[in-house]
Amino acid sequence: MAGQTSVEQSSAWKRFWNRGGFWRALLLAAVYLGVYELIGFLLGLAVPEGSGLRAEKGSAGDVFFSTALPIILTSILLFAFAASVGWLKELFARQTLGGRRWMWIALIVVLVINVGAFLTIDYAKAGITLVGTWLLAGLFVGLVEELVTRGFVINLMRKGGHREIAVALASAGIFAALHFTNLFTSDQGLGTTLLQIVYTFAFGICMYLILRVTRTLIAPMLVHASTDPSIFLFGAFPTSGNPLVLLPALSTYIVIVTGFILLIVFLVSERRRRRSEVSA
């Protein structure tokens, strides 16, 4: 009887999430954010800022405890969730829905910016330990944030029967909304936070298009993983006299313009596709 009850509860759990839909996607994203913030808060109590390895703000130790470790621990819980609902295989399998050639623009633009940033960092000043810590943090940031928004959210939206336009907008919109907490958890003001939300929405559109055109969740994960370390390290340790600095320096605006232009192209192409299906 106990075994039967366990199976029934497991089936109910899987059935709940496999129904999909926007509200389940929003719920999952909210729970993820709450768990991530809670882990960060508890680690902050265990290893307070300004003490021990976190004595210097922005040091390798500070980046590890404030950025890398919370996201690493959160990733373990996310993979446990994916396994509990039986999604691991389908999330990382080759996507059945492909993309169009113009979608490669999203991949090219983001990669060019990131390469430009990596080529204009003063590595001697930054130090190998800090660079390595940021690369580790970036790897898990890309893994976790893409797993949640381009993995779970898109999977739930498609299971709910939503059109692909709604899937793209929900994925990018929820991704952007997750960054609103930066207004309360960092020193940045409202204006900076709002600009970041617009940027992350456009970035989310680019990641969605990368998922479509490459047909694998691994691609946006790796592209995203190269974004945070390159931009943060460039911001703290830029070189001078290199014309490539314009790429990371203007990256926010380049991504915003690219993301919204590609979104318009996507909306038009989807509308045309639906019209052709109806006429056929």
Side-chain angles (χ1 to χ4, degrees):
M1 290 295 293
Q4 184 178 356
T5 302
S6 176
V7 171
E8 289 174 351
Q9 289 175 342
S10 175
S11 299
W13 171 255
K14 290 181 178 180
R15 284 198 304 271
F16 174 81
W17 290 109
N18 279 309
R19 290 190 188 102
F22 175 73
W23 294 110
R24 286 179 177 81
L26 195 61
L27 172 63
L28 183 56
V31 172
Y32 148 72
L33 181 61
V35 169
Y36 168 73
E37 293 292 349
L38 177 61
I39 291 174
F41 174 75
L42 294 176
L43 285 173
L45 293 179
V47 188
E49 187 177 319
S51 65
L53 294 174
R54 296 187 63 185
E56 184 180 349
K57 189 173 179 61
S59 64
D62 182 53
V63 172
F64 178 76
F65 284 105
S66 65
T67 305
L69 189 54
I71 206 78
I72 290 172
L73 295 176
T74 305
S75 72
I76 297 172
L77 298 178
L78 289 175
F79 274 97
F81 168 78
S84 73
V85 293
W87 288 357
L88 278 177
K89 185 176 180 180
E90 64 184 278
L91 285 172
F92 290 95
R94 180 173 171 79
Q95 299 274 314
T96 56
L97 183 61
R100 299 175 180 269
R101 290 181 180 178
W102 60 263
M103 293 181 180
W104 286 104
I105 295 173
L107 177 63
I108 293 169
V109 169
V110 177
L111 280 184
V112 167
I113 291 172
N114 293 351
V115 170
F118 277 123
L119 292 176
T120 53
I121 295 169
D122 189 337
Y123 291 99
K125 189 174 181 180
I128 189 171
T129 304
L130 180 60
V131 171
T133 305
W134 260 119
L135 290 176
L136 174 67
L139 179 63
F140 280 92
V141 168
L143 171 70
V144 166
E145 293 191 352
E146 291 307 309
L147 179 61
V148 171
T149 53
R150 254 60 66 185
F152 294 153
V153 170
I154 284 181
N155 205 29
L156 285 164
M157 290 292 290
R158 287 174 177 169
K159 286 179 183 294
H162 293 280
R163 291 179 176 175
E164 209 57 29
I165 291 176
V167 172
L169 292 176
S171 171
I174 290 175
F175 176 62
L178 290 173
H179 290 79
F180 189 75
T181 57
N182 290 339
L183 178 63
F184 310 103
T185 59
S186 65
D187 297 329
Q188 66 187 36
L190 178 60
T192 302
T193 302
L194 291 177
L195 178 61
Q196 186 179 46
I197 289 174
V198 175
Y199 163 79
T200 49
F201 177 83
F203 185 84
I205 292 295
C206 290
M207 294 301 105
Y208 165 82
L209 296 176
I210 292 172
L211 173 70
R212 284 285 303 271
V213 78
T214 63
R215 295 193 176 193
T216 172
L217 183 59
I218 299 296
M221 282 180 171
L222 291 177
V223 175
H224 194 152
S226 69
T227 300
D228 289 56
S230 61
I231 298 302
F232 277 101
L233 286 169
F234 167 79
F237 307 99
T239 58
S240 58
N242 190 331
L244 288 177
V245 298
L246 289 174
L247 289 171
L250 298 175
S251 62
T252 296
Y253 305 101
I254 295 173
V255 170
I256 288 174
V257 171
T258 301
F260 279 94
I261 289 176
L262 293 180
L263 174 59
I264 292 171
V265 175
F266 177 64
L267 293 175
V268 172
S269 66
E270 283 294 295
R271 187 175 181 180
R272 287 177 177 173
R273 183 184 61 81
R274 289 203 307 272
R275 282 181 176 177
S276 64
E277 289 177 351
V278 171
S279 60

